[in-house]
Amino acid sequence: MADGMANSTGNPMVGGAEMYPTKNIIENAVNSKDHTTLVAAVKAAGLVETLQGPGPFTVFAPTNEAFDALPAGTVEALLKPENKAKLTKILTCHVVAAKALSGPIMKMVDDDNGAHPVKTVGGCVFTIMYKGDNIMIKDGQGNIAHVTIADVKQSNGVIHVIDRVLLPAS
């Protein structure tokens, strides 16, 4: 079954694992083979409890490939205890304190003439746009992430899988 497609139970598949709308963000993310780096980073940053909380949260979840695309050594450096604050900032810049499904996101973009600013839990302000059915997020450094799997519903919010790590303005 291809990622993003619903299986026979109607639940989407992410990283080869069924995503259950009755489970929270962490309970689902730990089963995705495409998000092992993200899960390790969330653990290193001490954000597991937060993302298991009631939310609601929207998480833009970078894949392992997205983390691998960062300059060599970046992920290893960020996972070191002395870089916990920087790691936490980057990760919380992937979280919005609301449940934002793609339909309402596209309406906000339309209402803002094609580009909607979104403030993240980490204090970053990113710009959301879309073309056709493809939602894109421009980070603080001008890089564009594409939502590859949208609207993966969780008990405490929603996950949108993205193909790039969102970075704050430097």
Side-chain angles (χ1 to χ4, degrees):
M1 169 123 334
D3 275 351
M5 302 296 293
N7 65 11
S8 60
T9 62
N11 296 327
M13 300 293 287
V14 175
E18 184 173 1
M19 297 288 116
Y20 296 92
T22 55
K23 292 185 175 184
N24 68 47
I25 289 164
I26 297 298
E27 289 170 330
N28 274 318
V30 297
N31 293 316
S32 168
K33 68 178 176 11
D34 291 342
H35 291 89
T36 55
T37 304
L38 177 62
V39 169
V42 165
K43 288 177 180 176
L47 293 172
V48 170
E49 255 185 56
T50 301
L51 292 176
Q52 286 182 322
F57 302 110
T58 296
V59 176
F60 294 101
T63 60
N64 292 344
E65 284 184 355
F67 280 101
D68 290 346
L70 293 170
T74 302
V75 173
E76 294 78 6
L78 285 171
L79 292 175
K80 291 181 178 173
E82 63 267 26
N83 292 323
K84 184 177 178 181
K86 186 174 185 179
L87 176 63
T88 300
K89 168 83 173 172
I90 289 171
L91 292 176
T92 55
C93 282
H94 288 78
V95 181
V96 178
K99 182 176 180 178
L101 296 170
S102 59
I105 289 173
M106 290 175 164
K107 181 169 181 349
M108 288 184 274
V109 170
D110 289 343
D111 291 347
D112 285 342
N113 299 312
H116 178 71
V118 62
K119 186 166 184 178
T120 68
V121 171
C124 297
V125 178
F126 296 147
T127 304
I128 297 187
M129 308 155 287
Y130 74 90
K131 189 174 197 173
D133 289 336
N134 300 315
I135 295 175
M136 300 163 284
I137 306 112
K138 185 192 295 185
D139 72 10
Q141 298 185 10
N143 300 311
I144 305 283
H146 297 84
V147 173
T148 58
I149 304 174
D151 298 338
V152 184
K153 295 174 186 168
Q154 317 289 302
S155 65
N156 61 345
V158 61
I159 289 175
H160 299 287
V161 177
I162 58 173
D163 64 357
R164 185 172 206 132
V165 176
L166 301 170
L167 298 172
S170 43

